[in-house]
Amino acid sequence: SLAYIESKQYDQAKNPLSELVKIDPNYWDAYYQLGNIYYKEGQKSVATKIFDTLLQKNPQYDKKAEIEKLLAN
């Protein structure tokens, strides 16, 4: 998925990340990457929902400040 993200092939990255979240609901970085993809695509409401889910499940996530800054824009 990261290779797809780096090459901005977001559609190809979304499916594997979504599957990771289903397989391992505690894979926090999958939520983070998925949220970022939707944000970069301009789908802020979807990104917000994903980020909110992440922070509800893991309020101490190490990139919490980055997420909050992103959502404040």
Side-chain angles (χ1 to χ4, degrees):
S1 293
L2 293 178
Y4 289 128
I5 293 169
E6 289 174 7
S7 63
K8 298 184 182 180
Q9 296 178 356
Y10 299 132
D11 285 336
Q12 289 84 355
K14 283 190 261 187
N15 287 338
L17 289 170
S18 295
E19 288 300 314
L20 276 172
V21 169
K22 289 177 189 174
I23 293 167
D24 183 358
N26 295 326
Y27 195 144
W28 311 126
D29 288 334
Y31 287 95
Y32 178 76
Q33 293 299 335
L34 196 55
N36 270 324
I37 288 171
Y38 282 104
Y39 185 84
K40 289 175 183 175
E41 291 183 326
Q43 297 184 54
K44 293 182 182 180
S45 62
V46 177
T48 299
K49 183 177 177 182
I50 293 167
F51 286 139
D52 285 346
T53 300
L54 166 57
L55 295 178
Q56 285 174 358
K57 291 181 173 212
N58 182 3
Q60 304 304 319
Y61 183 62
D62 62 344
K63 296 177 183 164
K64 180 179 180 178
E66 291 176 35
I67 293 170
E68 290 173 340
K69 184 178 178 181
L70 191 66
L71 294 179
N73 293 328

